[in-house]
Amino acid sequence: QVQLVESGGGLVQDGGSLRLSCAASGRSSSSYRMGWFRQAPGKEREFVARVDRSGGTYYADSVKGRFTISRDNAKNTVILQMSRLKPEDTAVYFCAAAPAFALGVSPRDYSYWGQGTQVTVSS
């Protein structure tokens, strides 16, 4: 079992920045591929970014160049640094853990999920 707790969401103006954190705990949590997803009202949950145990990253086109995902395996923490935020980034953001062999771009790849944190970008 892996437990995930997100923090850092909030309200920010168009063009602003936010930093989301995900604290992981549980058995071998540092061995998982970690991802961030988001879900806006009335929409499906969508992939945002993922990071491998070794630090390799992959981003959705919609956030590439604006968001940065990183992890600290010693602290079992995953960070999503978001900059140049847009109103269309407004959503609940979820941290998730997938087995290392998973491709990691679909929600189906992920076994564990946090409770989510709200990000609202005002225009």
Side-chain angles (χ1 to χ4, degrees):
Q1 283 283 354
V2 175
Q3 294 80 40
L4 304 171
V5 179
E6 303 97 333
S7 61
L11 175 64
V12 64
Q13 289 188 334
D14 190 355
S17 299
L18 276 177
R19 184 176 183 266
L20 304 184
S21 296
C22 174
S25 60
R27 185 180 180 88
S28 302
S29 57
S30 62
S31 66
Y32 285 78
R33 174 167 282 176
M34 301 299 295
W36 284 96
F37 285 76
R38 65 187 182 187
Q39 189 166 18
K43 294 189 176 182
E44 294 187 352
R45 192 167 296 190
E46 66 171 356
F47 170 78
V48 174
R50 65 157 168 82
V51 60
D52 304 334
R53 187 182 189 282
S54 61
T57 59
Y58 183 75
Y59 297 91
D61 287 343
S62 59
V63 306
K64 201 174 295 182
R66 301 188 297 122
F67 291 10
T68 302
I69 188 172
S70 61
R71 69 189 293 168
D72 184 333
N73 289 330
K75 297 181 179 179
N76 287 334
T77 301
V78 180
I79 301 296
L80 185 68
Q81 179 66 48
M82 305 184 294
S83 59
R84 291 185 282 145
L85 282 161
K86 307 174 182 179
E88 52 263 44
D89 293 318
T90 295
V92 177
Y93 283 70
F94 297 89
C95 175
F101 58 80
L103 183 61
V105 296
S106 167
R108 293 187 300 273
D109 294 334
Y110 290 79
S111 304
Y112 302 101
W113 293 85
Q115 81 288 351
T117 185
Q118 177 70 46
V119 171
T120 303
V121 184
S122 62
S123 57

